[in-house]
Amino acid sequence: MEHYPCINIHLDTITHNAHNLVSACERFGVKPAGVTKLACAYPEVGEAILAGGIGILADSRIQNLKKLRHLDGETMLLRIPAISQAREVVQYADISLNSELETLQALAIEAVKQHKIHQVIIMHDMGDLREGSFYQEETLQLAREVMKLEGLQLVGLGTNLACYGGVEPSIDNQTQLIALAQQIETEHNIRLSYLSGASSAGLPLMLRGELPKGINQLRLGASVLMGIGLNDDPVPNTRQDTFDLTAEIVEIKVKPSVPAESTALDAFGHKPTFTDRGLRKRAICAIGKQDIDISQMTPKDRNIIVIGGSSDHLILDINDSDMPYHVGSLIEFELSYGGVLQCMTSEYITKRFL
Ligand SMILES: *Cc1c(COP(=O)(O)O)cnc(C)c1O
């Protein structure tokens, strides 16, 4: 018995994308980490990524990494850990990205307690202004402190770009990251295993052959899971149809396209506006704003117009469609990145793995 709305997750397509991205990265000396957060780290998705040849699964949330612990891959925590979660971080993440000494001290204490060596990548801010110190001397100082902490191993240097500030991965910022890593390596006479230069947003630079030699990790989420990267552009040799949404029609009626006398605000406190198309055949689907921001879904039937919705109802104009829709028919939608995210986190949307 299927329950709708449901998000369909095409696992073979995720494996296809992972596989092709591993091949593309290999030519440039890069090993991707596979980022699962868009799919809430459902183990089925983790497995599909590993099947494509990726060895590290990364997620921003420790609750998500916990779901992946029985799989083969190494796990990496992307969001700077919270001190209050130090125990779980050491328990469920092999590697974490860090920027604060207090947190690293807490991780070190936990690692010693759990008889583990926790691997640390220090984040440096190259101007996107999310995590990491913006000042080289501070990052070098943090590296010195990590080197002193028992239970921790400094394994890499990373940066995050095109996430908050819209700063693109470039030859310049990637070269600076490599130079900073070299200073750390020289000062402590160590080799850093990971120079983690960017997310999927770094792929265009790499595919142009301009990623400076030395960057050896990209953290790939959107490109593996949806075939998109910088500015949501499609990534070559990947597919974009990994996720779609199915909703069920619960009413079909012919109605005027403008309300009788519109004087009140809608359910969300906005003054509604309407386009007068005359009498039209309309359908209501059992999905609404409590499930998804409806601007993030597009009917695959291009003759359907999304006219609006409320918390639990999606109102469609199906007048121009050639399809014989009836009550109980299923309508399929494409989803944006934000749409997939909402569907994956909504407890009202069934997850169907195909
Ligand atoms: C989400 C995230 C990524 C993955 O970004 P995509 O654009 O989905 O490839 C990489 N690194 C960090 C730190 C992240 O939070």
Side-chain angles (χ1 to χ4, degrees):
M1 172 79 187
E2 291 294 351
H3 292 274
Y4 301 103
C6 106
I7 182 166
N8 309 297
I9 303 143
H10 302 270
L11 295 170
D12 52 341
T13 313
I14 293 175
T15 301
H16 164 91
N17 286 354
H19 180 265
N20 284 4
L21 286 163
V22 167
S23 307
C25 288
E26 206 165 29
R27 288 192 288 134
F28 301 100
V30 170
K31 276 198 177 157
V35 177
T36 50
K37 66 191 181 197
L38 175 65
C40 301
Y42 275 86
E44 291 87 341
V45 171
E47 268 176 67
I49 294 174
L50 294 174
I54 289 181
I56 299 180
L57 295 176
D59 203 288
S60 355
R61 293 164 195 258
I62 204 71
Q63 293 98 315
N64 284 353
L65 289 183
K66 203 167 164 178
K67 300 185 208 167
L68 302 170
R69 68 177 184 271
H70 62 284
L71 302 183
D72 280 340
E74 272 198 291
T75 53
M76 181 161 95
L77 182 65
L78 294 172
R79 186 169 63 190
I80 304 306
I83 291 178
S84 63
Q85 288 191 317
R87 186 170 55 80
E88 290 93 332
V89 172
V90 170
Q91 205 171 347
Y92 301 116
D94 300 310
I95 310 167
S96 62
L97 309 185
N98 284 275
S99 64
E100 290 289 356
L101 180 57
E102 290 85 342
T103 311
L104 287 159
Q105 287 165 337
L107 293 178
I109 291 170
E110 272 302 328
V112 170
K113 241 193 238 169
Q114 296 181 32
H115 309 289
K116 283 189 174 174
I117 300 291
H118 182 73
Q119 301 174 61
V120 170
I121 294 179
I122 292 180
M123 293 302 274
H124 182 73
D125 184 359
M126 309 286 332
D128 201 55
L129 307 184
R130 203 174 75 181
E131 67 271 54
S133 170
F134 185 68
Y135 302 99
Q136 298 213 354
E137 188 43 49
E138 279 184 8
T139 295
L140 292 170
Q141 185 53 34
L142 192 61
R144 284 176 204 124
E145 301 292 344
V146 175
M147 291 301 296
K148 289 186 219 153
L149 289 169
E150 197 190 337
L152 300 186
Q153 186 185 7
L154 180 59
V155 296
L157 184 68
T159 194
N160 191 55
L161 293 158
C163 246
Y164 170 72
V167 175
E168 273 188 44
S170 65
I171 296 179
D172 186 49
N173 56 41
Q174 300 294 297
T175 304
Q176 283 184 48
L177 190 72
I178 295 167
L180 189 58
Q182 281 167 347
Q183 284 190 60
I184 294 172
E185 290 183 330
T186 308
E187 183 177 333
H188 304 286
N189 195 22
I190 54 168
R191 281 293 292 164
L192 295 177
S193 307
Y194 303 108
L195 258 79
S196 195
S199 64
S200 301
L203 287 170
L205 185 73
M206 184 191 83
L207 294 171
R208 287 199 300 271
E210 293 178 356
L211 189 70
K213 200 164 154 4
I215 299 295
N216 64 8
Q217 183 184 72
L218 294 179
R219 306 173 305 270
L220 303 183
S223 52
V224 172
L225 295 178
M226 291 187 73
I228 57 174
L230 185 66
N231 303 324
D232 289 350
D233 290 335
V235 175
N237 296 318
T238 62
R239 289 175 55 168
Q240 288 72 47
D241 55 352
T242 334
F243 298 90
D244 48 41
L245 178 72
T246 309
E248 182 173 347
I249 297 179
V250 292
E251 180 188 292
I252 295 184
K253 304 243 178 268
V254 174
K255 297 188 189 188
S257 34
V258 174
E261 246 188 274
S262 178
T263 52
L265 300 181
D266 71 13
F268 289 82
H270 301 124
K271 175 132 189 59
T273 56
F274 305 93
T275 309
D276 193 354
R277 300 185 179 95
L279 279 178
R280 305 286 289 184
K281 194 201 264 185
R282 296 152 66 107
I284 295 179
C285 284
I287 185 169
K289 295 181 184 176
Q290 188 155 19
D291 308 294
I292 180 172
D293 170 356
I294 59 180
S295 69
Q296 304 300 307
M297 54 197 284
T298 311
K300 290 189 181 178
D301 178 345
R302 295 298 188 228
N303 294 317
I304 293 179
I305 307 165
V306 177
I307 37 187
S310 56
S311 296
D312 311 298
H313 301 76
L314 176 71
I315 307 171
L316 303 173
D317 180 325
I318 57 169
N319 203 80
D320 297 338
S321 174
D322 306 322
M323 301 294 292
Y325 294 120
H326 52 87
V327 174
S329 291
L330 301 175
I331 307 246
E332 294 210 337
F333 298 86
E334 291 165 5
L335 293 167
S336 70
Y337 183 93
V340 173
L341 191 64
Q342 292 173 333
C343 290
M344 291 306 294
T345 50
S346 170
E347 62 169 293
Y348 302 109
I349 295 187
T350 304
K351 317 298 182 274
R352 184 162 67 179
F353 298 96
L354 300 164

